Amino acid sequence: MSEATLPKNLTLDAALSEAEENFAARNVKSGENYNNSTLSMPGGNTRTVIHFSPFPLTFSKAEGATLTDADGNEYTDFMGEYTAALYGHSEPAITAAVEKALHQGIVRGGANDNEAAFSAAICDRFPAIDRVRFCNSGTEANLYALRTACSFTGRSDVIVMKAGYHGGVLYFGGECPLNVPMPFHPVTYNDTEEAVAKIRELGSKLAAVILEPMLGGGGCIPATAEFLQALRAETEKSGALLIFDEVMTSRLAPGGLHGQHNIKPDMVTLGKYVGGGMSFGAFGGREDIMARFDPRIAGHWPHAGTFNNNALTMAAGLAGLTQVYTADRVEAFNAIGDGLRAKMQDAIAGAGVPMCVTGLGSMAVFHFGTGPITTPGDAVAAPEALKAILHLDMIERGFYYARRGMIALCLPTTNEDTTRFASAFGDVLSNRASLIHQAVKG
Ligand SMILES: Cc1ncc(COP(=O)(O)O)c(C=O)c1O
């Protein structure tokens, strides 16, 4: 159905059924692939976050910032693989580095010739990382950082943020039966008083406070400087470690967000784009803490992982950080994202709907309710059906983002792309304005 003929007075359920039927008709091959997948994977899925109804798209090709699905439909990629696809999908410097590494031979069972330079590039770039160790995912990086904090301090308890996400087994947005069994204490993001009180209450039991300096999956909500400074001061007093999860946020400033805030956490975790698009995680920080992993020292802590230094990741990550995502590029890229958020906010105002956009630089989330949003509870909890309709409408217009409303730009994305996105977004919001008003009023 074309935009002009879209009925304006559908109920949420009817509008969703219609949008899903249109989506299924345009995506026959993705639908078939999905149905086949359900025969061997529960729900046809091996990664919860990429599932959406009626079925997720199968992407057969990706180039620059363009995704092509199995049916030949093209999308400008505003999801950016939840920040991991920062380099886009075919950055020549990364492709060349990976091809070279591939031809040198994989799984060599020893050190390779890129890991020293890659670790040095990371230590140079991120002020709080004196020494770093690699692993295979952000989840693993955070698990290592947390266990390091417990072992280093001889303490057990950890303060986390409500709605925080640090990996598949470290999820604090609701009940997560698969979380690792550690004594976690969730506090409200940006609520300095609550966090300081909890740090003091836990006293000598507290091993660490872990948080993202901008809550990423929890809604792209930036931390206030006051909140971060208070956490730094109080953890120092308590003897607990402050861990910044910069798996997503390290892309937002040349020295990561801790560099921008001029705060030195004791440990920092990295993941996603830093591996150049390959499987990657890293944890690092203060030299005296990381020295415990030095295998030359008696009683050192073991840190294993067959693929920790895998040749393809080391090559891709090094090329990305040193040849592509240089400090100048970090600034220019994030300015494009700042522009996008302003354009989206204009689109929202133009459509007259009660919504707002949060984020920093190249990351954004749109929320229901007019804000301000300084903590996850400030957003209006809109029905999933409404999020689904907007998502499917934008897919129909050739734009891909995460259904929950999250956007992460890819480097090849231009200001023209963000203008096109915001214009389509404005059309969708205008078409669906009555549904949005109904849903947000409750
Ligand atoms: C802030 C943050 N930490 C950790 C992770 C986990 O990283 P991975 O998916 O590589 O395990 C994610 C993934 O989305 C994340 O957003």
Side-chain angles (χ1 to χ4, degrees):
M1 186 176 290
S2 79
E3 270 169 54
T5 56
L6 262 180
K8 303 273 195 288
N9 56 354
L10 289 178
T11 63
L12 209 50
D13 286 350
L16 180 58
S17 301
E18 182 190 68
E20 288 189 346
E21 272 167 33
N22 291 342
F23 174 88
R26 285 193 316 275
N27 294 292
V28 174
K29 289 189 180 147
S30 282
E32 283 169 5
N33 190 39
Y34 177 68
N35 287 337
N36 288 338
S37 304
T38 61
L39 303 177
S40 44
M41 293 185 286
N45 178 263
T46 188
R47 186 178 167 210
T48 311
V49 80
I50 58 170
H51 180 79
F52 61 77
S53 60
F55 52 81
L57 291 168
T58 299
F59 293 117
S60 304
K61 197 177 152 207
E63 197 173 357
T66 303
L67 302 166
T68 307
D69 71 22
D71 294 272
N73 303 304
E74 289 195 349
Y75 309 91
T76 310
D77 184 6
F78 278 74
M79 196 236 250
E81 186 45 300
Y82 292 93
T83 71
L86 177 142
Y87 294 109
H89 305 288
S90 51
E91 163 55 48
I94 291 180
T95 307
V98 170
E99 274 172 3
K100 185 173 168 213
L102 206 50
H103 287 115
Q104 286 174 300
I106 52 174
V107 280
R108 298 174 216 161
N112 62 60
D113 35 12
N114 285 322
E115 68 200 66
F118 186 30
S119 53
I122 288 175
C123 294
D124 284 350
R125 177 176 292 230
F126 300 110
I129 302 185
D130 300 330
R131 296 283 186 275
V132 66
R133 289 183 75 96
F134 297 121
C135 51
N136 294 280
S137 68
T139 304
E140 220 185 300
N142 285 314
L143 286 171
Y144 271 114
L146 289 172
R147 296 309 306 159
T148 297
C150 293
S151 301
F152 187 79
T153 58
R155 300 173 175 189
S156 54
D157 288 33
V158 173
I159 291 178
V160 296
M161 300 297 129
K162 289 177 191 162
Y165 180 78
H166 303 290
V169 291
L170 294 164
Y171 173 51
F172 305 102
E175 277 304 297
C176 183
L178 299 186
N179 268 1
V180 286
M182 291 176 69
F184 291 116
H185 303 268
V187 299
T188 309
Y189 201 74
N190 276 333
D191 187 331
T192 303
E193 214 175 297
E194 184 186 335
V196 168
K198 187 54 84 179
I199 292 171
R200 291 181 183 169
E201 177 195 320
L202 290 170
S204 62
K205 284 204 304 191
L206 183 65
V209 175
I210 184 168
L211 78 161
E212 294 176 274
M214 173 179 82
L215 205 51
C220 279
I221 301 174
T224 63
E226 180 228 341
F227 184 59
L228 296 180
Q229 279 157 8
L231 293 180
R232 177 63 290 182
E234 284 298 319
T235 46
E236 228 160 59
K237 274 190 227 157
S238 134
L241 301 193
L242 181 63
I243 305 170
F244 276 10
D245 175 345
E246 292 235 44
V247 165
M248 282 187 169
T249 59
S250 61
R251 63 192 253 149
L252 296 175
L257 275 192
H258 71 276
Q260 190 172 61
H261 278 281
N262 198 21
I263 286 183
K264 262 196 157 185
D266 303 292
M267 295 193 74
V268 175
T269 56
L270 302 173
K272 299 207 186 269
Y273 81 94
V274 180
M278 306 288 136
S279 297
F280 175 75
F283 59 101
R286 268 169 44 193
E287 189 170 357
D288 61 323
I289 300 171
M290 295 304 291
R292 302 294 180 100
F293 291 97
D294 182 339
R296 298 167 300 186
I297 293 172
H300 66 270
W301 298 335
H303 163 225
T306 302
F307 291 107
N308 285 354
N309 65 336
N310 91 73
L312 302 188
T313 301
M314 297 296 111
L318 175 64
L321 273 197
T322 57
Q323 296 175 43
V324 187
Y325 205 47
T326 53
D328 286 353
R329 201 77 193 272
V330 175
E331 306 277 4
F333 176 54
N334 285 295
I336 293 177
D338 291 337
L340 170 65
R341 282 195 315 286
K343 290 173 200 175
M344 287 174 70
Q345 200 62 59
D346 287 349
I348 287 169
V353 288
M355 293 172 65
C356 64
V357 187
T358 60
L360 287 174
S362 55
M363 293 171 63
V365 168
F366 63 81
H367 301 269
F368 298 91
T370 51
I373 292 177
T374 58
T375 202
D378 293 337
V380 173
E384 289 307 311
L386 180 60
K387 293 182 199 165
I389 291 166
L390 302 185
H391 185 233
L392 296 175
D393 283 358
M394 285 298 280
I395 285 178
E396 184 177 359
R397 285 162 176 77
F399 296 99
Y400 189 65
Y401 68 85
R403 178 161 287 186
R404 65 168 89 130
M406 183 168 178
I407 289 162
L409 298 183
C410 303
L411 268 182
T413 308
T414 62
N415 280 317
E416 289 69 39
D417 293 326
T418 63
T419 301
R420 286 191 305 110
F421 180 94
S423 161
F425 187 59
D427 282 350
V428 166
L429 298 185
S430 297
N431 279 332
R432 302 298 192 182
S434 61
L435 289 180
I436 298 170
H437 280 290
Q438 275 168 37
V440 172
K441 257 190 240 130

